[in-house]
Amino acid sequence: TEVSALVSNPKVQAVIISSPQKFHALQATEALRAGRHVLVEKPMATRWQDAEELISAAAGSKCVAMALPYEHVAQLDAMLECLKPEILGRIVAIDADFSGSGAPPGSDWKYSLAESGGGVLVAHAVYALDLIASIMGPAQRVSAYANTLLPERAMPDGRKVKSDIEDNVVMALEYATGQLATVRSCWAYPGRERRLTIQGTRRRLSMTLAGITLDPPRGSPGGGRVRGQSVGSAPKNSETIPVGKESENI
């Protein structure tokens, strides 16, 4: 009712949806059908059917509908520039780890599946999946494992909170052209982790919180390592790609 009253107010032109995740799609759909522009926080939905209804509402509306995360930040734009075949070669594998220590302070409700609609998958893994989809397009097949690693959480104020959300997820995505991508997302790390590694037939590109690194060409596809390079050694003369401060948003 409160959402209905808000979007039916003639003074309201646009709505930002930043409520608990399980309400995102339903509230965004209602706002679009009421003729309001919509910016919806990630994830746009926690259920497939809700996502389809939101997409249908957006397609049938003259209003602007935008779902986060927003991709065109400096770090991603710089990374996409490096994905040209003459630089990276053909992409053969992608690995990502987007993890952290848990929900932000004051967000106890995020540890309740009934209240949140999802845990680390909708909070952190969505960033990795969004980036990989920007690079590879839709996957042909997806396999996933998820569980609750920490059923009890210690809050900053010393309280203990029960948790039944998925806080430990591993996914494998297979593409029609043969490549495999892996995504790990866990809410049990001591700190924030943002890592995306793209392996090409010529070079390897790595994106972390520190920036983007492009390794020099080495060896040849299927031809083993460069002569004189030991197994597991880091390539010399890697390039660091400069990006702007907005890269911290990823």
Side-chain angles (χ1 to χ4, degrees), residues 13 24 49 67 79 84 88 91 95 108 112 125 139 154 182 184 210 216 241 243:
Q13 297 179 320
H24 286 183
Q49 183 179 351
M79 183 184 73
K84 296 174 181 177
L88 203 70
I91 294 175
D95 296 291
D108 299 9
S112 167
T182 62
R184 173 180 289 280
I241 312 299
V243 294

Side-chain angles (χ1 to χ4, degrees), residues 134-155:
S134 300
I135 297 164
M136 298 297 298
Q140 187 178 49
R141 184 167 57 177
V142 178
S143 303
Y145 295 91
N147 61 27
T148 303
L149 188 62
L150 300 177
E152 188 175 76
R153 293 277 176 166
M155 298 294 102

